[in-house]
Amino acid sequence: MSRYLMDKYQPLVAYTPGEQPRDMQYVKLNTNENPYPPVPGVTEAVMAEAGRLELYSDPVCIDLRDALAARYGVARQNVFVSNGSDDILNFAFMAFGSPRAYFPDISYGFYPVYAGLHGIDAHPVPLRSDFSIDPTDFMALDGFIAIANPNAPTGMALEVSQIEDILQANPDHVVLIDEAYVDFGAESCVPLTAKYDNLLVVQTFSKSRSMAGARLGFAIANEGLIADLEKIKFSTNPYSINRMTLAAGLATLKADDACMANCQRIIDTRQATVARLRQMRFEVLPSKANFVFACHPHADGGFLYRQLKARGVLVRHFDSPRIKDFLRITIGTPEQMQTLFEALGSILEG
């Protein structure tokens, strides 16, 4: 860090993304990527736009917004798109977070980072002892609320009725529901956006649509909230989505049934994974995401993480005291999960 960094940014604790080592070939179960490639038509759409890079992309993203509006039963003015859902979360904290923000204490690691970046008073709300969110803890608060549903890294989800209770209890503040993993078994709050003007639902193409490398996210909300996000976007980078990503997003939505079929494959593999881990005496939290959160009564989480990495299997381990014994394990293909089970068996037998 240089001496030129502004004083207000000196205390920032940056987000730590999942590791991407290159020293060997790994079975990569640490960053919640989809194990299946983009659906047919995406590569061809990207290649077609690759020959037109001398032209700016559409800053308003009309075609993609129209396609998303049709997919989710809303109007174009209810849809915002940007460079990954992280971009939208950043804009939302910037636009709606001051002076204070509330979010679960064990959740997506970017929430406290964005609060710090924008000088927002952060109020982490403790999860219950079983790692679930207590909706009553988010009633009648005096600030912006951000909830990942399903939550990460736990994979647990609130019911839509519980989220509606939170919306009703906080009519004067924006409630952001981060649905990055919703397509793996949870229920979306998108229909509630027609009823509540303080609800902002954020989703991504990274997980269920196999486009983590393309960087494309979207939000659905009341027209006023979308206009607020557009103002922030056009005050920073109107061309934040390149031509190839826009084309990939459109092609993906045209084959959305195939994406949802891949989600079902992952759900099936998740169920088999939970059963196998429990046979190995792991405690596994109930998950509606494309990962599971698990711990073993006789093996330290950090030890398991290091031993798996040494055997070519990457999972995610967090040093936070309350969850240090847990591993977050992305659901891969059945073959990848079998490699995980064999590695875990070898470690536990030793």
Side-chain angles (χ1 to χ4, degrees):
M1 192 160 55
S2 81
R3 60 190 175 92
Y4 303 105
L5 184 66
M6 293 172 63
D7 289 344
K8 67 178 181 178
Y9 296 129
Q10 295 282 352
L12 277 181
V13 179
Y15 175 73
T16 303
E19 61 184 322
Q20 308 272 6
R22 299 186 179 185
D23 57 315
M24 61 182 286
Q25 186 70 37
Y26 289 94
V27 173
K28 202 163 173 295
L29 305 177
N30 67 322
T31 51
N32 298 340
E33 295 153 319
N34 196 308
Y36 302 109
V39 292
V42 172
T43 300
E44 293 80 2
V46 169
M47 294 303 296
E49 287 301 317
R52 306 178 66 194
L53 296 184
E54 74 279 8
L55 302 175
Y56 281 111
S57 56
D58 174 14
V60 185
C61 308
I62 288 177
D63 292 340
L64 181 58
R65 289 172 68 191
D66 284 347
L68 283 165
R71 166 66 173 80
Y72 289 95
V74 297
R76 178 197 299 167
Q77 59 265 31
N78 300 120
V79 180
F80 176 80
V81 295
S82 198
N83 189 268
S85 61
D86 287 338
D87 211 27
I88 303 172
L89 297 175
N90 182 29
F91 290 167
F93 271 80
M94 187 189 308
F96 312 120
S98 183
R100 59 191 60 84
Y102 298 86
F103 43 81
D105 68 332
I106 298 173
S107 191
Y108 186 30
F110 242 136
Y111 299 156
V113 173
Y114 289 139
L117 179 65
H118 299 300
I120 298 165
D121 186 13
H123 291 263
V125 179
L127 297 181
R128 291 171 169 146
S129 60
D130 66 354
F131 297 102
S132 64
I133 294 172
D134 185 346
T136 63
D137 289 339
F138 289 89
M139 300 298 181
L141 300 180
D142 56 348
F144 174 72
I145 296 171
I147 297 175
N149 197 56
N151 195 18
T154 67
M156 301 172 74
L158 292 172
E159 300 294 330
V160 168
S161 61
Q162 295 173 306
I163 292 172
E164 185 165 16
D165 289 341
I166 294 172
L167 288 163
Q168 292 175 348
N170 297 277
D172 298 322
H173 299 284
V174 172
V175 177
L176 184 154
I177 303 299
D178 183 353
E179 295 187 343
Y181 302 100
V182 73
D183 291 325
F184 299 103
E187 185 180 358
S188 176
C189 290
V190 165
L192 293 182
T193 59
K195 187 176 179 181
Y196 297 95
D197 65 3
N198 62 327
L199 171 60
L200 176 64
V201 178
V202 180
Q203 292 195 23
T204 178
F205 279 71
S206 294
K207 313 300 182 182
S208 60
R209 294 184 171 97
S210 303
M211 282 178 52
R215 312 310 305 133
L216 183 61
F218 63 97
I220 296 177
N222 170 271
E223 182 177 352
L225 291 185
I226 298 301
D228 294 338
L229 293 175
E230 291 284 352
K231 177 177 283 190
I232 300 295
K233 175 183 173 181
F234 277 76
S235 299
T236 52
N237 180 12
Y239 302 104
S240 63
I241 307 177
N242 66 63
R243 300 185 68 91
M244 292 181 290
T245 295
L246 286 174
L250 274 172
T252 298
L253 289 174
K254 290 177 181 176
D256 206 51
D257 288 346
C259 292
M260 296 305 107
N262 280 341
C263 290
Q264 186 58 54
R265 295 167 71 186
I266 292 168
I267 291 170
D268 294 342
T269 305
R270 182 185 70 207
Q271 293 172 340
T273 296
V274 170
R276 185 73 178 272
L277 288 173
R278 287 176 175 163
Q279 286 176 357
M280 302 174 79
R281 299 186 64 189
F282 278 87
E283 174 191 348
V284 188
L285 299 188
S287 174
K288 292 189 176 181
N290 69 333
F291 57 85
V292 294
F293 206 47
C295 68
H296 196 280
H298 303 300
D300 173 78
F303 170 79
L304 287 176
Y305 155 75
R306 291 187 295 272
Q307 290 296 312
L308 285 170
K309 184 176 180 179
R311 289 165 171 78
V313 179
L314 287 178
V315 296
R316 191 77 190 264
H317 177 251
F318 300 91
D319 289 326
S320 176
R322 196 171 164 198
I323 57 174
K324 63 182 177 62
D325 288 330
F326 282 80
L327 299 177
R328 193 194 69 190
I329 304 169
T330 302
I331 302 301
T333 64
E335 294 76 18
Q336 289 174 322
M337 304 317 290
Q338 181 59 33
T339 300
L340 168 75
F341 301 142
E342 291 171 1
L344 283 173
S346 172
I347 295 166
L348 294 173
E349 287 172 6

